[in-house]
Amino acid sequence: MLFRSNQRQGRVVKTVKGKDFAHGCTGGTPEENAEATREILHCSQPHSGSSAKLDLAVVNAGAAIYVAGRADSLSNGVEVAREATKNGSAADVLERYVETSQALADF
């Protein structure tokens, strides 16, 4: 992965070439994908050894946070998403979702 610094906004922007990105973001079996999701939300390296999955998840979540009006810019939404992976709140929401969906499946 290549890094470049955006000095005007004081942010580091990560640039990834398409082939590198695709290599790090390939899916797997449902079980592998569930494990990768848990690793991402606990802010650990995805099982592929690449941070591409974490980066993709954070960018997508950041966009959703921004569109939902919970951040005043896309970059702030990404910051909120990244912090949620670091502090464990994203993992907590996933676990509550899994528990609820499993309970509802019993009906």
Side-chain angles (χ1 to χ4, degrees):
M1 283 180 238
L2 305 171
F3 293 88
R4 70 177 168 83
S5 179
N6 183 338
Q7 298 299 325
R8 286 182 294 139
Q9 296 178 1
R11 301 191 193 284
V12 175
V13 176
K14 190 180 293 185
T15 304
V16 181
K17 295 184 183 208
K19 64 182 171 93
D20 296 330
F21 181 79
H23 174 72
C25 289
T26 56
T29 66
E31 294 78 16
E32 291 169 337
N33 292 340
E35 179 63 25
T37 299
R38 284 189 167 87
E39 289 174 355
I40 288 166
L41 295 181
H42 285 95
C43 203
S44 59
Q45 285 293 338
H47 67 281
S48 68
S50 165
S51 67
K53 289 180 183 177
L54 174 60
D55 293 340
L56 179 61
V58 168
V59 167
N60 280 314
I65 291 166
Y66 171 63
V67 169
R70 306 285 289 180
D72 60 3
S73 68
L74 180 57
S75 62
N76 286 344
V78 170
E79 289 175 23
V80 169
R82 188 165 303 280
E83 181 59 29
T85 63
K86 288 181 181 178
N87 70 22
S89 61
D92 292 343
V93 169
L94 173 65
E95 295 310 319
R96 287 195 316 264
Y97 173 80
V98 169
E99 290 171 9
T100 301
S101 64
Q102 288 175 345
L104 291 173
D106 292 337
F107 285 114

mmCIF file of all heavy atoms in Angstrom, residues 28-79:
data_model
loop_
_atom_site.group_PDB
_atom_site.id
_atom_site.type_symbol
_atom_site.label_atom_id
_atom_site.label_comp_id
_atom_site.label_asym_id
_atom_site.label_seq_id
_atom_site.Cartn_x
_atom_site.Cartn_y
_atom_site.Cartn_z
ATOM 1 N N GLY A 28 -14.800 -15.422 1.281
ATOM 2 C CA GLY A 28 -14.565 -16.837 1.538
ATOM 3 C C GLY A 28 -15.874 -17.530 1.846
ATOM 4 O O GLY A 28 -16.940 -17.078 1.419
ATOM 5 N N THR A 29 -15.797 -18.557 2.633
ATOM 6 C CA THR A 29 -16.997 -19.268 3.049
ATOM 7 C C THR A 29 -17.752 -18.396 4.046
ATOM 8 O O THR A 29 -17.177 -17.443 4.608
ATOM 9 C CB THR A 29 -16.633 -20.598 3.728
ATOM 10 O OG1 THR A 29 -15.946 -20.309 4.963
ATOM 11 C CG2 THR A 29 -15.773 -21.477 2.833
ATOM 12 N N PRO A 30 -19.018 -18.709 4.311
ATOM 13 C CA PRO A 30 -19.743 -17.929 5.328
ATOM 14 C C PRO A 30 -19.007 -17.906 6.676
ATOM 15 O O PRO A 30 -18.961 -16.864 7.336
ATOM 16 C CB PRO A 30 -21.085 -18.640 5.429
ATOM 17 C CG PRO A 30 -21.290 -19.235 4.068
ATOM 18 C CD PRO A 30 -19.902 -19.669 3.637
ATOM 19 N N GLU A 31 -18.430 -19.010 7.047
ATOM 20 C CA GLU A 31 -17.708 -19.073 8.320
ATOM 21 C C GLU A 31 -16.462 -18.185 8.297
ATOM 22 O O GLU A 31 -16.177 -17.478 9.272
ATOM 23 C CB GLU A 31 -17.313 -20.517 8.651
ATOM 24 C CG GLU A 31 -18.479 -21.438 8.914
ATOM 25 C CD GLU A 31 -19.203 -21.938 7.657
ATOM 26 O OE1 GLU A 31 -18.649 -21.823 6.525
ATOM 27 O OE2 GLU A 31 -20.340 -22.408 7.806
ATOM 28 N N GLU A 32 -15.722 -18.220 7.166
ATOM 29 C CA GLU A 32 -14.536 -17.373 7.036
ATOM 30 C C GLU A 32 -14.921 -15.898 7.027
ATOM 31 O O GLU A 32 -14.241 -15.067 7.654
ATOM 32 C CB GLU A 32 -13.778 -17.719 5.753
ATOM 33 C CG GLU A 32 -13.110 -19.081 5.771
ATOM 34 C CD GLU A 32 -12.599 -19.518 4.417
ATOM 35 O OE1 GLU A 32 -13.092 -19.035 3.370
ATOM 36 O OE2 GLU A 32 -11.691 -20.365 4.405
ATOM 37 N N ASN A 33 -16.004 -15.561 6.345
ATOM 38 C CA ASN A 33 -16.449 -14.170 6.292
ATOM 39 C C ASN A 33 -16.906 -13.684 7.660
ATOM 40 O O ASN A 33 -16.648 -12.540 8.033
ATOM 41 C CB ASN A 33 -17.555 -14.006 5.255
ATOM 42 C CG ASN A 33 -17.043 -14.212 3.843
ATOM 43 O OD1 ASN A 33 -15.848 -14.120 3.579
ATOM 44 N ND2 ASN A 33 -17.953 -14.518 2.931
ATOM 45 N N ALA A 34 -17.590 -14.550 8.423
ATOM 46 C CA ALA A 34 -18.017 -14.179 9.776
ATOM 47 C C ALA A 34 -16.799 -13.926 10.662
ATOM 48 O O ALA A 34 -16.761 -12.938 11.412
ATOM 49 C CB ALA A 34 -18.903 -15.271 10.375
ATOM 50 N N GLU A 35 -15.798 -14.774 10.555
ATOM 51 C CA GLU A 35 -14.570 -14.595 11.338
ATOM 52 C C GLU A 35 -13.847 -13.313 10.930
ATOM 53 O O GLU A 35 -13.383 -12.547 11.780
ATOM 54 C CB GLU A 35 -13.647 -15.804 11.183
ATOM 55 C CG GLU A 35 -12.344 -15.680 11.950
ATOM 56 C CD GLU A 35 -12.518 -15.585 13.450
ATOM 57 O OE1 GLU A 35 -13.550 -16.060 13.990
ATOM 58 O OE2 GLU A 35 -11.625 -15.011 14.107
ATOM 59 N N ALA A 36 -13.760 -13.056 9.624
ATOM 60 C CA ALA A 36 -13.112 -11.830 9.148
ATOM 61 C C ALA A 36 -13.844 -10.596 9.648
ATOM 62 O O ALA A 36 -13.220 -9.620 10.062
ATOM 63 C CB ALA A 36 -13.045 -11.823 7.622
ATOM 64 N N THR A 37 -15.175 -10.648 9.658
ATOM 65 C CA THR A 37 -15.967 -9.521 10.157
ATOM 66 C C THR A 37 -15.686 -9.278 11.631
ATOM 67 O O THR A 37 -15.491 -8.140 12.061
ATOM 68 C CB THR A 37 -17.466 -9.762 9.931
ATOM 69 O OG1 THR A 37 -17.694 -9.899 8.526
ATOM 70 C CG2 THR A 37 -18.304 -8.628 10.483
ATOM 71 N N ARG A 38 -15.643 -10.347 12.402
ATOM 72 C CA ARG A 38 -15.342 -10.192 13.842
ATOM 73 C C ARG A 38 -13.938 -9.626 14.050
ATOM 74 O O ARG A 38 -13.740 -8.778 14.921
ATOM 75 C CB ARG A 38 -15.531 -11.511 14.559
ATOM 76 C CG ARG A 38 -16.988 -11.839 14.766
ATOM 77 C CD ARG A 38 -17.178 -13.047 15.685
ATOM 78 N NE ARG A 38 -18.564 -13.139 16.092
ATOM 79 C CZ ARG A 38 -19.516 -13.772 15.402
ATOM 80 N NH1 ARG A 38 -19.225 -14.340 14.242
ATOM 81 N NH2 ARG A 38 -20.752 -13.812 15.856
ATOM 82 N N GLU A 39 -12.979 -10.083 13.264
ATOM 83 C CA GLU A 39 -11.615 -9.559 13.368
ATOM 84 C C GLU A 39 -11.575 -8.070 13.019
ATOM 85 O O GLU A 39 -10.918 -7.287 13.699
ATOM 86 C CB GLU A 39 -10.672 -10.335 12.451
ATOM 87 C CG GLU A 39 -10.392 -11.749 12.930
ATOM 88 C CD GLU A 39 -9.586 -12.564 11.943
ATOM 89 O OE1 GLU A 39 -9.313 -12.081 10.822
ATOM 90 O OE2 GLU A 39 -9.244 -13.703 12.295
ATOM 91 N N ILE A 40 -12.290 -7.697 11.971
ATOM 92 C CA ILE A 40 -12.348 -6.294 11.573
ATOM 93 C C ILE A 40 -12.938 -5.448 12.696
ATOM 94 O O ILE A 40 -12.399 -4.405 13.062
ATOM 95 C CB ILE A 40 -13.171 -6.121 10.279
ATOM 96 C CG1 ILE A 40 -12.398 -6.673 9.084
ATOM 97 C CG2 ILE A 40 -13.563 -4.665 10.047
ATOM 98 C CD1 ILE A 40 -13.235 -6.859 7.841
ATOM 99 N N LEU A 41 -14.045 -5.908 13.248
ATOM 100 C CA LEU A 41 -14.727 -5.110 14.261
ATOM 101 C C LEU A 41 -13.998 -5.093 15.598
ATOM 102 O O LEU A 41 -14.284 -4.263 16.454
ATOM 103 C CB LEU A 41 -16.163 -5.590 14.435
ATOM 104 C CG LEU A 41 -17.035 -5.374 13.187
ATOM 105 C CD1 LEU A 41 -18.456 -5.846 13.446
ATOM 106 C CD2 LEU A 41 -17.016 -3.923 12.750
ATOM 107 N N HIS A 42 -13.074 -5.987 15.767
ATOM 108 C CA HIS A 42 -12.219 -5.944 16.956
ATOM 109 C C HIS A 42 -10.885 -5.277 16.634
ATOM 110 O O HIS A 42 -9.954 -5.331 17.416
ATOM 111 C CB HIS A 42 -12.000 -7.358 17.507
ATOM 112 C CG HIS A 42 -13.186 -7.892 18.226
ATOM 113 N ND1 HIS A 42 -14.132 -8.690 17.612
ATOM 114 C CD2 HIS A 42 -13.610 -7.714 19.489
ATOM 115 C CE1 HIS A 42 -15.072 -8.995 18.480
ATOM 116 N NE2 HIS A 42 -14.784 -8.408 19.619
ATOM 117 N N CYS A 43 -10.819 -4.668 15.425
ATOM 118 C CA CYS A 43 -9.674 -3.883 14.964
ATOM 119 C C CYS A 43 -8.383 -4.687 14.956
ATOM 120 O O CYS A 43 -7.320 -4.170 15.217
ATOM 121 C CB CYS A 43 -9.493 -2.607 15.796
ATOM 122 S SG CYS A 43 -8.579 -1.339 14.906
ATOM 123 N N SER A 44 -8.494 -5.964 14.665
ATOM 124 C CA SER A 44 -7.286 -6.758 14.485
ATOM 125 C C SER A 44 -7.075 -6.963 12.994
ATOM 126 O O SER A 44 -7.943 -6.649 12.185
ATOM 127 C CB SER A 44 -7.420 -8.100 15.207
ATOM 128 O OG SER A 44 -8.521 -8.829 14.723
ATOM 129 N N GLN A 45 -5.937 -7.480 12.636
ATOM 130 C CA GLN A 45 -5.661 -7.720 11.222
ATOM 131 C C GLN A 45 -6.576 -8.820 10.717
ATOM 132 O O GLN A 45 -6.702 -9.856 11.353
ATOM 133 C CB GLN A 45 -4.208 -8.152 11.023
ATOM 134 C CG GLN A 45 -3.228 -7.015 11.153
ATOM 135 C CD GLN A 45 -3.362 -6.002 10.033
ATOM 136 O OE1 GLN A 45 -3.870 -6.274 8.964
ATOM 137 N NE2 GLN A 45 -2.897 -4.803 10.281
ATOM 138 N N PRO A 46 -7.230 -8.627 9.591
ATOM 139 C CA PRO A 46 -8.007 -9.708 8.995
ATOM 140 C C PRO A 46 -7.123 -10.920 8.738
ATOM 141 O O PRO A 46 -5.921 -10.790 8.582
ATOM 142 C CB PRO A 46 -8.518 -9.110 7.684
ATOM 143 C CG PRO A 46 -8.493 -7.627 7.923
ATOM 144 C CD PRO A 46 -7.309 -7.392 8.836
ATOM 145 N N HIS A 47 -7.733 -12.095 8.696
ATOM 146 C CA HIS A 47 -6.984 -13.341 8.592
ATOM 147 C C HIS A 47 -6.101 -13.424 7.362
ATOM 148 O O HIS A 47 -5.183 -14.213 7.329
ATOM 149 C CB HIS A 47 -7.934 -14.539 8.647
ATOM 150 C CG HIS A 47 -8.847 -14.652 7.469
ATOM 151 N ND1 HIS A 47 -9.977 -13.900 7.336
ATOM 152 C CD2 HIS A 47 -8.770 -15.421 6.365
ATOM 153 C CE1 HIS A 47 -10.573 -14.206 6.199
ATOM 154 N NE2 HIS A 47 -9.870 -15.127 5.602
ATOM 155 N N SER A 48 -6.343 -12.606 6.365
ATOM 156 C CA SER A 48 -5.501 -12.629 5.165
ATOM 157 C C SER A 48 -4.151 -11.970 5.412
ATOM 158 O O SER A 48 -3.277 -12.025 4.573
ATOM 159 C CB SER A 48 -6.216 -11.906 4.020
ATOM 160 O OG SER A 48 -6.289 -10.523 4.318
ATOM 161 N N GLY A 49 -3.980 -11.317 6.554
ATOM 162 C CA GLY A 49 -2.737 -10.621 6.826
ATOM 163 C C GLY A 49 -2.703 -9.229 6.225
ATOM 164 O O GLY A 49 -1.705 -8.546 6.268
ATOM 165 N N SER A 50 -3.809 -8.773 5.658
ATOM 166 C CA SER A 50 -3.883 -7.480 4.990
ATOM 167 C C SER A 50 -4.842 -6.572 5.742
ATOM 168 O O SER A 50 -5.792 -7.029 6.361
ATOM 169 C CB SER A 50 -4.380 -7.688 3.562
ATOM 170 O OG SER A 50 -4.785 -6.464 3.010
ATOM 171 N N SER A 51 -4.610 -5.278 5.670
ATOM 172 C CA SER A 51 -5.543 -4.340 6.288
ATOM 173 C C SER A 51 -6.595 -3.872 5.292
ATOM 174 O O SER A 51 -7.418 -3.028 5.622
ATOM 175 C CB SER A 51 -4.784 -3.143 6.853
ATOM 176 O OG SER A 51 -4.212 -2.381 5.806
ATOM 177 N N ALA A 52 -6.598 -4.417 4.077
ATOM 178 C CA ALA A 52 -7.547 -3.962 3.054
ATOM 179 C C ALA A 52 -8.993 -4.154 3.502
ATOM 180 O O ALA A 52 -9.835 -3.288 3.276
ATOM 181 C CB ALA A 52 -7.294 -4.679 1.731
ATOM 182 N N LYS A 53 -9.295 -5.274 4.131
ATOM 183 C CA LYS A 53 -10.669 -5.518 4.592
ATOM 184 C C LYS A 53 -11.066 -4.520 5.671
ATOM 185 O O LYS A 53 -12.183 -4.011 5.670
ATOM 186 C CB LYS A 53 -10.817 -6.951 5.097
ATOM 187 C CG LYS A 53 -10.765 -7.968 3.992
ATOM 188 C CD LYS A 53 -10.902 -9.372 4.523
ATOM 189 C CE LYS A 53 -10.773 -10.372 3.387
ATOM 190 N NZ LYS A 53 -10.824 -11.746 3.853
ATOM 191 N N LEU A 54 -10.157 -4.248 6.600
ATOM 192 C CA LEU A 54 -10.430 -3.251 7.633
ATOM 193 C C LEU A 54 -10.649 -1.886 7.002
ATOM 194 O O LEU A 54 -11.610 -1.190 7.326
ATOM 195 C CB LEU A 54 -9.278 -3.197 8.634
ATOM 196 C CG LEU A 54 -9.356 -2.104 9.700
ATOM 197 C CD1 LEU A 54 -10.600 -2.260 10.558
ATOM 198 C CD2 LEU A 54 -8.101 -2.120 10.559
ATOM 199 N N ASP A 55 -9.788 -1.504 6.062
ATOM 200 C CA ASP A 55 -9.917 -0.204 5.400
ATOM 201 C C ASP A 55 -11.249 -0.092 4.667
ATOM 202 O O ASP A 55 -11.931 0.929 4.759
ATOM 203 C CB ASP A 55 -8.771 0.023 4.414
ATOM 204 C CG ASP A 55 -7.428 0.165 5.102
ATOM 205 O OD1 ASP A 55 -7.402 0.459 6.316
ATOM 206 O OD2 ASP A 55 -6.404 -0.034 4.431
ATOM 207 N N LEU A 56 -11.616 -1.143 3.941
ATOM 208 C CA LEU A 56 -12.877 -1.129 3.200
ATOM 209 C C LEU A 56 -14.072 -1.011 4.151
ATOM 210 O O LEU A 56 -14.988 -0.225 3.916
ATOM 211 C CB LEU A 56 -13.005 -2.391 2.346
ATOM 212 C CG LEU A 56 -14.292 -2.532 1.539
ATOM 213 C CD1 LEU A 56 -14.443 -1.381 0.554
ATOM 214 C CD2 LEU A 56 -14.303 -3.862 0.801
ATOM 215 N N ALA A 57 -14.044 -1.761 5.233
ATOM 216 C CA ALA A 57 -15.143 -1.716 6.204
ATOM 217 C C ALA A 57 -15.264 -0.327 6.826
ATOM 218 O O ALA A 57 -16.369 0.210 6.971
ATOM 219 C CB ALA A 57 -14.931 -2.766 7.285
ATOM 220 N N VAL A 58 -14.137 0.271 7.168
ATOM 221 C CA VAL A 58 -14.154 1.590 7.809
ATOM 222 C C VAL A 58 -14.646 2.665 6.838
ATOM 223 O O VAL A 58 -15.436 3.539 7.219
ATOM 224 C CB VAL A 58 -12.761 1.918 8.389
ATOM 225 C CG1 VAL A 58 -12.648 3.380 8.794
ATOM 226 C CG2 VAL A 58 -12.475 1.028 9.585
ATOM 227 N N VAL A 59 -14.223 2.597 5.582
ATOM 228 C CA VAL A 59 -14.682 3.581 4.595
ATOM 229 C C VAL A 59 -16.193 3.437 4.367
ATOM 230 O O VAL A 59 -16.926 4.428 4.333
ATOM 231 C CB VAL A 59 -13.901 3.449 3.275
ATOM 232 C CG1 VAL A 59 -14.560 4.226 2.156
ATOM 233 C CG2 VAL A 59 -12.467 3.924 3.474
ATOM 234 N N ASN A 60 -16.673 2.195 4.229
ATOM 235 C CA ASN A 60 -18.113 1.985 4.029
ATOM 236 C C ASN A 60 -18.919 2.440 5.241
ATOM 237 O O ASN A 60 -19.952 3.101 5.101
ATOM 238 C CB ASN A 60 -18.407 0.512 3.712
ATOM 239 C CG ASN A 60 -18.132 0.183 2.275
ATOM 240 O OD1 ASN A 60 -18.529 0.909 1.378
ATOM 241 N ND2 ASN A 60 -17.451 -0.916 2.046
ATOM 242 N N ALA A 61 -18.454 2.090 6.418
ATOM 243 C CA ALA A 61 -19.158 2.512 7.632
ATOM 244 C C ALA A 61 -19.110 4.032 7.771
ATOM 245 O O ALA A 61 -20.109 4.658 8.150
ATOM 246 C CB ALA A 61 -18.545 1.841 8.858
ATOM 247 N N GLY A 62 -17.975 4.633 7.455
ATOM 248 C CA GLY A 62 -17.850 6.084 7.531
ATOM 249 C C GLY A 62 -18.806 6.790 6.589
ATOM 250 O O GLY A 62 -19.418 7.801 6.944
ATOM 251 N N ALA A 63 -18.976 6.221 5.390
ATOM 252 C CA ALA A 63 -19.934 6.802 4.443
ATOM 253 C C ALA A 63 -21.355 6.682 4.980
ATOM 254 O O ALA A 63 -22.145 7.627 4.883
ATOM 255 C CB ALA A 63 -19.819 6.106 3.088
ATOM 256 N N ALA A 64 -21.686 5.549 5.580
ATOM 257 C CA ALA A 64 -23.026 5.372 6.151
ATOM 258 C C ALA A 64 -23.263 6.337 7.308
ATOM 259 O O ALA A 64 -24.352 6.923 7.435
ATOM 260 C CB ALA A 64 -23.202 3.922 6.623
ATOM 261 N N ILE A 65 -22.260 6.523 8.128
ATOM 262 C CA ILE A 65 -22.373 7.462 9.263
ATOM 263 C C ILE A 65 -22.591 8.879 8.749
ATOM 264 O O ILE A 65 -23.437 9.623 9.260
ATOM 265 C CB ILE A 65 -21.113 7.358 10.146
ATOM 266 C CG1 ILE A 65 -21.099 6.006 10.863
ATOM 267 C CG2 ILE A 65 -21.037 8.516 11.138
ATOM 268 C CD1 ILE A 65 -19.766 5.648 11.493
ATOM 269 N N TYR A 66 -21.859 9.260 7.705
ATOM 270 C CA TYR A 66 -22.006 10.592 7.114
ATOM 271 C C TYR A 66 -23.387 10.771 6.495
ATOM 272 O O TYR A 66 -24.065 11.771 6.752
ATOM 273 C CB TYR A 66 -20.900 10.817 6.078
ATOM 274 C CG TYR A 66 -21.078 12.065 5.266
ATOM 275 C CD1 TYR A 66 -21.069 13.326 5.863
ATOM 276 C CD2 TYR A 66 -21.259 12.000 3.894
ATOM 277 C CE1 TYR A 66 -21.236 14.480 5.106
ATOM 278 C CE2 TYR A 66 -21.421 13.144 3.132
ATOM 279 C CZ TYR A 66 -21.415 14.373 3.748
ATOM 280 O OH TYR A 66 -21.584 15.507 3.003
ATOM 281 N N VAL A 67 -23.830 9.796 5.697
ATOM 282 C CA VAL A 67 -25.132 9.889 5.027
ATOM 283 C C VAL A 67 -26.269 9.928 6.054
ATOM 284 O O VAL A 67 -27.270 10.611 5.852
ATOM 285 C CB VAL A 67 -25.317 8.710 4.042
ATOM 286 C CG1 VAL A 67 -26.734 8.622 3.529
ATOM 287 C CG2 VAL A 67 -24.352 8.867 2.875
ATOM 288 N N ALA A 68 -26.079 9.254 7.173
ATOM 289 C CA ALA A 68 -27.099 9.246 8.231
ATOM 290 C C ALA A 68 -27.119 10.550 9.030
ATOM 291 O O ALA A 68 -27.970 10.736 9.894
ATOM 292 C CB ALA A 68 -26.867 8.066 9.169
ATOM 293 N N GLY A 69 -26.185 11.454 8.723
ATOM 294 C CA GLY A 69 -26.159 12.732 9.419
ATOM 295 C C GLY A 69 -25.482 12.681 10.777
ATOM 296 O O GLY A 69 -25.612 13.596 11.580
ATOM 297 N N ARG A 70 -24.710 11.620 11.046
ATOM 298 C CA ARG A 70 -24.037 11.464 12.338
ATOM 299 C C ARG A 70 -22.610 12.016 12.314
ATOM 300 O O ARG A 70 -21.920 11.982 13.322
ATOM 301 C CB ARG A 70 -24.027 9.997 12.748
ATOM 302 C CG ARG A 70 -25.394 9.339 12.765
ATOM 303 C CD ARG A 70 -26.220 9.724 13.922
ATOM 304 N NE ARG A 70 -25.643 9.089 15.095
ATOM 305 C CZ ARG A 70 -26.127 9.219 16.307
ATOM 306 N NH1 ARG A 70 -27.193 9.935 16.508
ATOM 307 N NH2 ARG A 70 -25.549 8.628 17.313
ATOM 308 N N ALA A 71 -22.189 12.522 11.136
ATOM 309 C CA ALA A 71 -20.887 13.172 10.993
ATOM 310 C C ALA A 71 -21.049 14.292 9.976
ATOM 311 O O ALA A 71 -21.875 14.200 9.074
ATOM 312 C CB ALA A 71 -19.837 12.171 10.524
ATOM 313 N N ASP A 72 -20.259 15.354 10.129
ATOM 314 C CA ASP A 72 -20.408 16.511 9.242
ATOM 315 C C ASP A 72 -19.596 16.414 7.960
ATOM 316 O O ASP A 72 -19.685 17.281 7.099
ATOM 317 C CB ASP A 72 -20.093 17.809 9.985
ATOM 318 C CG ASP A 72 -18.673 17.871 10.533
ATOM 319 O OD1 ASP A 72 -17.897 16.929 10.298
ATOM 320 O OD2 ASP A 72 -18.355 18.872 11.197
ATOM 321 N N SER A 73 -18.817 15.333 7.807
ATOM 322 C CA SER A 73 -18.079 15.111 6.569
ATOM 323 C C SER A 73 -17.797 13.619 6.448
ATOM 324 O O SER A 73 -17.877 12.878 7.434
ATOM 325 C CB SER A 73 -16.758 15.889 6.560
ATOM 326 O OG SER A 73 -15.868 15.345 7.520
ATOM 327 N N LEU A 74 -17.451 13.207 5.247
ATOM 328 C CA LEU A 74 -17.103 11.810 5.036
ATOM 329 C C LEU A 74 -15.874 11.436 5.854
ATOM 330 O O LEU A 74 -15.834 10.382 6.483
ATOM 331 C CB LEU A 74 -16.865 11.549 3.548
ATOM 332 C CG LEU A 74 -16.496 10.123 3.157
ATOM 333 C CD1 LEU A 74 -17.554 9.137 3.617
ATOM 334 C CD2 LEU A 74 -16.304 10.036 1.652
ATOM 335 N N SER A 75 -14.882 12.306 5.873
ATOM 336 C CA SER A 75 -13.662 11.988 6.629
ATOM 337 C C SER A 75 -13.949 11.866 8.117
ATOM 338 O O SER A 75 -13.385 10.997 8.794
ATOM 339 C CB SER A 75 -12.562 13.013 6.367
ATOM 340 O OG SER A 75 -12.954 14.296 6.789
ATOM 341 N N ASN A 76 -14.857 12.692 8.642
ATOM 342 C CA ASN A 76 -15.233 12.557 10.054
ATOM 343 C C ASN A 76 -15.997 11.261 10.285
ATOM 344 O O ASN A 76 -15.848 10.622 11.325
ATOM 345 C CB ASN A 76 -16.051 13.754 10.527
ATOM 346 C CG ASN A 76 -15.212 14.998 10.709
ATOM 347 O OD1 ASN A 76 -13.989 14.939 10.766
ATOM 348 N ND2 ASN A 76 -15.867 16.130 10.784
ATOM 349 N N GLY A 77 -16.830 10.862 9.327
ATOM 350 C CA GLY A 77 -17.530 9.588 9.434
ATOM 351 C C GLY A 77 -16.555 8.429 9.493
ATOM 352 O O GLY A 77 -16.729 7.491 10.280
ATOM 353 N N VAL A 78 -15.503 8.490 8.684
ATOM 354 C CA VAL A 78 -14.477 7.448 8.694
ATOM 355 C C VAL A 78 -13.758 7.437 10.043
ATOM 356 O O VAL A 78 -13.484 6.372 10.598
ATOM 357 C CB VAL A 78 -13.487 7.643 7.522
ATOM 358 C CG1 VAL A 78 -12.273 6.732 7.658
ATOM 359 C CG2 VAL A 78 -14.201 7.400 6.201
ATOM 360 N N GLU A 79 -13.477 8.606 10.576
ATOM 361 C CA GLU A 79 -12.829 8.680 11.893
ATOM 362 C C GLU A 79 -13.714 8.051 12.966
ATOM 363 O O GLU A 79 -13.224 7.316 13.834
ATOM 364 C CB GLU A 79 -12.517 10.128 12.254
ATOM 365 C CG GLU A 79 -11.395 10.732 11.434
ATOM 366 C CD GLU A 79 -11.188 12.208 11.721
ATOM 367 O OE1 GLU A 79 -11.576 12.677 12.813
ATOM 368 O OE2 GLU A 79 -10.634 12.894 10.849
#
